[in-house]
Amino acid sequence: MITREEIRELAQFRTKGDEGWALSFYFEPQTPQNKSHREETILAKDLVRKALREAEKNSKNGSTRADLNRILELAENLHGNQARARAVFACSSQNFWREFDLPPQLPGTQLFVNRQFHLKPLAVLLGAQPHLCVVLVDRHKARFFDLRVDELKEREGMFRTLQARPGRSDGFAGYDGGHAQRRIDDDALHHFKGVAEHLSTALEKGFYEKLIIGCHDTSWHELEAQLHPYVKKVLLGHFSADLNRVTNDQIREEATRILRDSLDQRCKDLVRETISQAKSNARGVTGLRRVLRSLELGEVQTLLIGDKFSHLAVECTNCRHLETRMVRECPVCGHETREIEDVTEAIIPAAIQRDVELLYVKDDEEFDRAGNIAALLRFRADQSKGRGIQAAS
């Protein structure tokens, strides 16, 4: 699975002049219409042939042709593989080739040839995905998992299985039996405290950002009472699970459902907050021009983009300034600009390099009216400067 560091590497990559072209290939497996499983290969061939024609027309040949042929060879070997999607980023003139397996949730099989990698499909899939910990707990054991998109990995040696004490006879009037049960309950309480302490320490060390818990319904309130307030703050939810019977697929399904619901609600809340902040001239801006300005000033904390948003723009070939006006020369440094059919091709890498949180908004009328693009800010440079001048006077 692709890591944040690898995404940042892709975002920073850019070709210049005659250094070749950056190819981005996304392969989305399809349900086969017949037993030959050749639909994906046919589609990939059509995309490569089209890209080759464009390369010859625009003198994007040589190393670009080699990359396209290698992608075609890869696609031919992928036919019939219905389990995973695949992303390839290539530029042989700079000896760059990266392949990543992805969940089969891409918008389709696509191929892009440009000066930088096309990251929108990747950003849509991985945007706002936290480092998620899933813990399964019963009264004696705890299992810890990392979940990234749909890849579930169990950590080993993170917690020791506790041994239950042997039982006794009930004794006179059931006294011994009640005493033994109290010891069992006391052991379970200490176990829950140990799990809570482990989660608190792991959060403090940055081992996870969000948490989901699976346990018996009868144990949930006992465990919840032991959780540190900071751990409760990052807890997305819990689900009912028998630690000894639940499968990895069930764990992944339940955790993904809770995460998806949480992200959808958080996106809605951030849209409302950002639009409200923009209306009050506070920590929010709406519309492409204002968002671009705030992104360049380093003000943006969270970037919200409509999932179908697209806009024509120009980019400076020198300083990378983005301009919504179709000017030939950069208003910042005076160098030549180049036209960009979709400004998000430049916005997304810039956001990734600046560690800006990126969320895609679907089917929101108020957001559409606000320009279909907005940003929640860390600060406003103009207001900070104003306060500084006022304080100095």
Side-chain angles (χ1 to χ4, degrees), residues 124-167:
V124 172
L125 181 63
L126 303 178
Q129 289 282 343
H131 187 176
L132 183 63
C133 171
V134 182
V135 56
L136 298 185
V137 186
D138 64 13
R139 293 169 66 85
H140 300 289
K141 293 179 290 184
R143 298 170 63 192
F144 297 87
F145 299 83
D146 290 320
L147 180 61
R148 176 65 172 163
V149 189
D150 69 339
E151 187 174 11
L152 187 73
K153 289 186 178 180
E154 185 166 4
R155 303 186 208 152
E156 295 182 357
M158 296 295 292
F159 199 84
R160 181 174 62 88
T161 300
L162 300 180
Q163 302 294 329
R165 297 182 182 181

Side-chain angles (χ1 to χ4, degrees), residues 266 270 274 300-304 356-359 374-377:
R266 184 167 183 274
L270 282 173
T274 302
V300 178
Q301 173 179 307
T302 301
L303 182 60
L304 301 160
V356 172
E357 181 183 23
L358 181 60
L359 295 176
L376 186 66
L377 309 181

